[in-house]
Amino acid sequence: MAARVEHVVTSGTFDLDGGSWDVDNNVWLVGDDDECVVIDAPHDAEAIADLIGDRQLLAILCTHAHNDHVTVAQALSVRYGAPVRLHPDDEVLWRQTYPDFDFEPLEDGETLSVAGVELTVVHTPGHAPGAVCFYAPALGVLFSGDTLFQGGPGATGRSYSDFGTIIDSLEESVLTLPSDTVVHTGHGADTTIGDEAGSVADWIARGH
């Protein structure tokens, strides 16, 4: 059976810089009836396990290491014997949640295969130093984490983030994708590359 994208929303908190905020996170799954990968692992291991079902979990792919995207990464890794994959530039954030549990590094441009489709790792620093997107051209989708949302770029007001850097990432690596690419975000609704080109331009004009 052909690869497909599945989705569940989990709820919890995002904790950084001494603050805590209630958040709803998108969890994405790419796979077929036999195998899959999970993109981000926030808040609720059982909800994600229900999505996986009896399939082989090949990896837990993290778009970045803010705690609300990795809360149950270790639990899923141990449960399924699957590695957690994360860009090494986010180790400083990872260690805030997991001081003693290691991940396997992702590399910019690396290609991951699942259910006959390829996901390309696109390093998109700015929201976090090791933030990545996963691009699946055969499916016409980009999993953007917190790099791009409906309405513009991800937030850059916390530690280890930078507005200029996220804009560079978007202009050089994301907005160059086909305009009809569907963007599956880390929080909130889907969008497309074409719809967000103008939104990002507006943010640049405002300079924040």
Side-chain angles (χ1 to χ4, degrees):
M1 182 174 289
R4 59 189 183 272
V5 176
E6 298 169 64
H7 173 230
V8 67
V9 176
T10 62
S11 300
T13 61
F14 166 48
D15 304 303
L16 188 66
D17 296 338
S20 183
W21 299 267
D22 292 333
V23 287
D24 296 325
N25 284 68
N26 293 322
V27 181
W28 301 99
L29 181 149
V30 181
D32 58 15
D33 287 348
D34 299 316
E35 64 181 26
C36 63
V37 296
V38 163
I39 299 175
D40 288 336
H43 312 308
D44 188 341
E46 289 306 315
I48 300 171
D50 286 346
L51 191 65
I52 296 167
D54 60 2
R55 290 176 281 194
Q56 180 185 7
L57 180 63
L58 302 182
I60 300 113
L61 307 178
C62 302
T63 61
H64 61 295
H66 283 153
N67 78 293
D68 62 314
H69 290 255
V70 302
T71 321
V72 297
Q74 179 178 0
L76 291 173
S77 178
V78 171
R79 179 169 180 167
Y80 291 96
V84 177
R85 304 290 310 277
L86 175 74
H87 194 282
D89 286 358
D90 251 21
E91 182 160 10
V92 64
L93 290 167
W94 174 261
R95 293 301 170 198
Q96 293 181 9
T97 302
Y98 295 114
D100 301 313
F101 185 76
D102 292 333
F103 59 87
E104 293 185 7
L106 291 169
E107 295 183 8
D108 184 39
E110 180 179 354
T111 300
L112 312 168
S113 296
V114 58
V117 300
E118 295 184 342
L119 300 173
T120 299
V121 179
V122 184
H123 185 207
T124 53
H127 178 71
V132 300
C133 298
F134 298 101
Y135 178 46
L139 300 177
V141 301
L142 178 79
F143 301 94
S144 66
D146 288 4
T147 293
L148 182 64
F149 294 118
Q150 185 182 72
T156 54
R158 303 292 169 191
S159 295
Y160 310 107
S161 65
D162 181 77
F163 178 74
T165 302
I166 200 171
I167 293 301
D168 288 345
S169 293
L170 289 168
E171 291 187 320
E172 295 169 8
S173 302
V174 176
L175 297 180
T176 55
L177 298 176
S179 62
D180 61 350
T181 301
V182 174
V183 180
H184 293 315
T185 65
H187 307 270
D190 289 350
T191 185
T192 67
I193 294 295
D195 286 344
E196 296 314 315
S199 299
V200 172
D202 289 343
W203 277 79
I204 294 171
R206 293 198 298 268
H208 64 274

